[in-house]
Amino acid sequence: MVGFRAGDVPPTATVKFIGAGTAACIADLFTFPLDTAKVRLQIQGETKSPANTGHGPVKYRGVFGTISTMVRVEGPRSLYSGLVAGLQRQMSFASVRIGLYDSVKQFYTKGSDHVGIGSRLMAGCTTGAMAVALAQPTDVVKVRFQAQISAGASKRYHGTMDAYRTIAKEEGFRGLWKGTGPNITRNAIVNCTELVTYDLIKDALIKSSLMNDDLPCHFTSAFGAGFCTTVIASPVDVVKTRYMNSAQGQYSGALNCAVAMLTKEGPKAFYKGFMPSFLRLGSWNVVMFVTYEQLKRALMAARHNWVTPL
């Protein structure tokens, strides 16, 4: 009997779903401080914010300057503020966004072996929008925690469940879905760029025989996808973060938030936090996609061993 290799059989939808959520959580554990630094840099310059009421302005300079300032002023734990909501977000968000991507892509190609760029883009937009609709409340809470100054006694939120309750009580149930529009736009861009670029780079490397479908190929594809995604998605990401973190009534909508940024801070404001965003997304992509590929193979091997009689 020929030995079974996990790569010989395409992974099932369940394997992809579980693998994507698990891999995304692992990636978040490694890269969360960079994401928190990105949020702090993105909201810097706002005149008012519900997260830092009662505190003087804190100046952040660069990725590692932001991280060192947060550790000095608020303590090391501040770098992981909002982690619980972040993991909740990844388990629900990434499972749909990444785990269903191949299945939705096959739906758009109607079973054809040829997968064009249009089908990849439509699959990316579809799963991205579905994921945002499901996971938006967790994203709102995550951003609020990351933006909240942890030093002092005037913290607005004192726990993940308290944050959900406070936002729903003060801003209504719709407050938990605040910023859904820009977040769908941001994630349509991220999903299309990230998954499609990863898909294309990986296919090109394998078809040109430059690399095999293994760890170096996954690493290279993930890093390239991270850079392309950061360049394209950064402006929408900044607007999304600002709007989700804004005080009630501060902006009439996401477009008003973008116009206010442009008027008061200039075009460069849309690329605030670019370096931590790239470092975070690049490293997140590498950890997530490499872990995801390995988990898919391990889960398929385990499934084969379970269903195959001894």
Side-chain angles (χ1 to χ4, degrees):
M1 179 180 175
V2 179
F4 172 79
R5 292 189 306 164
D8 294 340
V9 180
T12 63
T14 303
V15 165
K16 293 175 187 175
F17 196 82
I18 296 172
T22 305
C25 287
I26 293 170
D28 239 30
L29 288 171
F30 281 99
T31 62
F32 205 80
L34 290 169
D35 191 42
T36 303
K38 178 201 77 171
V39 169
R40 291 293 179 93
L41 285 167
Q42 286 179 337
I43 65 171
Q44 186 166 252
E46 282 191 298
T47 56
K48 57 181 178 177
S49 164
N52 52 16
T53 304
H55 298 279
V58 179
K59 296 293 183 183
Y60 302 113
R61 299 183 184 280
V63 188
F64 300 108
T66 301
I67 291 174
S68 63
T69 298
M70 289 181 64
V71 170
R72 187 179 70 253
V73 175
E74 305 170 56
R77 291 181 63 182
S78 65
L79 297 174
Y80 281 90
S81 182
L83 178 63
V84 174
L87 294 178
Q88 291 172 348
R89 174 184 181 271
Q90 291 299 353
M91 186 51 74
S92 55
F93 185 80
S95 295
V96 174
R97 184 175 75 92
I98 298 169
L100 296 183
Y101 172 71
D102 286 334
S103 299
V104 175
K105 185 172 66 176
Q106 289 170 6
F107 170 78
Y108 282 125
T109 57
K110 295 178 172 61
S112 172
D113 291 334
H114 173 71
V115 182
I117 187 69
S119 299
R120 298 177 199 259
L121 290 171
M122 288 178 68
C125 287
T126 301
T127 57
M130 289 167 61
V132 170
L134 175 67
Q136 182 68 9
T138 63
D139 205 7
V140 171
V141 171
K142 177 187 79 75
V143 168
R144 296 283 181 93
F145 264 108
Q146 289 176 316
Q148 177 175 258
I149 304 295
S150 300
S154 58
K155 290 197 297 185
R156 191 175 187 190
Y157 309 116
H158 298 279
T160 305
M161 295 311 297
D162 176 63
Y164 286 118
R165 283 194 297 266
T166 302
I167 293 170
K169 181 180 179 181
E170 295 182 357
E171 303 173 43
F173 191 68
R174 291 177 60 184
L176 291 169
W177 268 267
K178 188 174 186 178
T180 300
N183 207 12
I184 287 177
T185 304
R186 183 252 183 194
N187 279 289
I189 295 170
V190 167
N191 226 33
C192 288
T193 310
E194 187 179 79
L195 295 179
V196 173
T197 306
Y198 178 82
D199 218 6
L200 290 172
I201 294 174
K202 181 182 168 185
D203 282 354
L205 290 172
I206 294 171
K207 288 178 180 177
S208 62
S209 300
L210 290 172
M211 290 183 176
N212 296 319
D213 188 5
D214 52 17
L215 193 62
C217 176
H218 304 157
F219 184 96
T220 305
S221 304
F223 193 79
F227 178 76
C228 295
T229 302
T230 308
V231 171
I232 295 173
S234 190
V236 181
D237 190 35
V238 176
V239 173
K240 180 214 77 166
T241 301
R242 289 278 185 100
Y243 185 58
M244 283 169 59
N245 185 59
S246 63
Q248 192 169 9
Q250 184 175 351
Y251 303 114
S252 60
L255 183 60
N256 176 249
C257 177
V259 171
M261 283 174 58
L262 182 63
T263 305
K264 296 176 182 177
E265 302 170 60
K268 290 175 68 175
F270 292 96
Y271 279 90
K272 278 190 171 183
F274 178 84
M275 189 51 68
S277 185
F278 167 59
L279 290 174
R280 191 261 177 181
L281 196 54
S283 56
W284 190 92
N285 269 8
V286 168
V287 176
M288 203 291 301
F289 278 112
V290 168
T291 306
Y292 178 47
E293 297 283 3
Q294 301 309 309
L295 274 174
K296 280 196 299 184
R297 296 183 180 196
L299 289 170
M300 284 304 293
R303 181 176 180 273
H304 173 80
N305 292 335
W306 183 63
V307 300
T308 303
L310 295 175

